[in-house]
Amino acid sequence: MPILKKRKVELFLVVFLFALYTFSRLGALTNIPIFTDEAIYLRWAQIAESDANWRFISLTDGKQPLFIWLTMLAMKIIPDPLIAGRMISVLSGLLTAIGLFFLSREIFQEKWIGIIAAGLYVIYPFALIYDRLALYDSLVGTFAVWSLYGTVCLVRALRLDVALLLGLAIGGAVLNKTSGFFQSLSSPFCITYF
């Protein structure tokens, strides 16, 4: 395995960042008291899980349903609703860190900058809190990072598969929260820059 020997420092850093992320997000996950909005979203997910007619219950309050649907699916695996909802945010934050690695590596053409960007996200105080709450915002960040990464990749190489994946990321952002429309508005400017 000459590749592993050649890249053992990078592999060590990736494993270390993953362990640090896991420890910082999952350690004492329920020590933060439940937030009012969390309780509302978790109740919506419980209602949507028990009655298929209420899968769009979040629309009664003007919220998009994607986070509620994901929480509903997590509740089928994890019996505690608070942990199920917060696990969606933890996984979203992990996807954001991975997306920041790829985005930084793509923009600067240097893998070390990608590792540094992901490492900064792992210790960023805002992310430390929001990645542990059952709120929409962690998933918003995930879609924002991956939409920007898709836009940069599309500008670098006009390919149909990249355009389709960018469309999926923007669609997920819009389906998650109204602020996801900003991703769809930023793409034409990047393509115009191209």
Side-chain angles (χ1 to χ4, degrees):
M1 291 278 189
I3 289 181
L4 290 180
K5 288 181 182 178
K6 192 177 187 182
R7 300 180 185 247
K8 64 182 174 183
V9 174
E10 294 137 5
L11 185 62
F12 171 76
L13 285 174
V14 168
V15 170
F16 173 74
L17 285 177
F18 179 76
L20 181 63
Y21 181 87
T22 304
F23 176 75
S24 64
R25 289 349 187 245
L26 293 180
L29 183 64
T30 57
N31 279 4
I32 299 174
I34 190 166
F35 186 59
T36 307
D37 288 350
E38 281 185 298
I40 293 168
Y41 302 153
L42 295 175
R43 183 63 187 145
W44 286 348
Q46 286 176 326
I47 292 170
E49 181 188 17
S50 65
D51 187 359
N53 292 324
W54 285 99
R55 296 278 158 85
F56 291 93
I57 189 170
S58 60
L59 294 177
T60 60
D61 194 37
K63 303 274 188 195
Q64 276 74 8
L66 182 62
F67 179 77
I68 304 302
W69 292 345
L70 293 174
T71 304
M72 177 187 68
L73 292 174
M75 285 180 180
K76 293 183 181 298
I77 300 167
I78 303 168
D80 186 350
L82 182 61
I83 294 175
R86 289 183 175 179
M87 282 303 294
I88 298 300
S89 293
V90 168
L91 293 175
S92 299
L94 181 62
L95 289 175
T96 302
I98 294 168
L100 281 172
F101 167 77
F102 285 113
L103 175 64
S104 302
R105 190 186 71 178
E106 182 68 31
I107 290 174
F108 296 105
Q109 297 295 312
E110 182 64 47
K111 64 182 170 241
W112 289 105
I113 294 178
I115 292 173
I116 290 170
L120 287 174
Y121 180 80
V122 169
I123 61 171
Y124 181 53
F126 186 81
L128 280 169
I129 298 298
Y130 271 88
D131 288 349
R132 295 173 59 202
L133 296 175
L135 298 174
Y136 281 80
D137 302 299
S138 187
L139 200 55
V140 168
T142 302
F143 284 120
V145 167
W146 283 101
S147 296
L148 185 57
Y149 175 65
T151 303
V152 169
C153 289
L154 188 63
V155 166
R156 294 240 167 119
L158 283 173
R159 293 181 13 208
L160 182 61
D161 57 343
V162 174
L164 290 173
L165 291 173
L166 173 61
L168 284 173
I170 292 173
V174 170
L175 194 57
N176 183 54
K177 199 168 183 182
T178 307
S179 59
F181 282 104
F182 287 120
Q183 278 82 32
S184 64
L185 297 176
S186 67
S187 294
F189 292 115
C190 291
I191 293 172
T192 302
Y193 175 72
F194 166 73

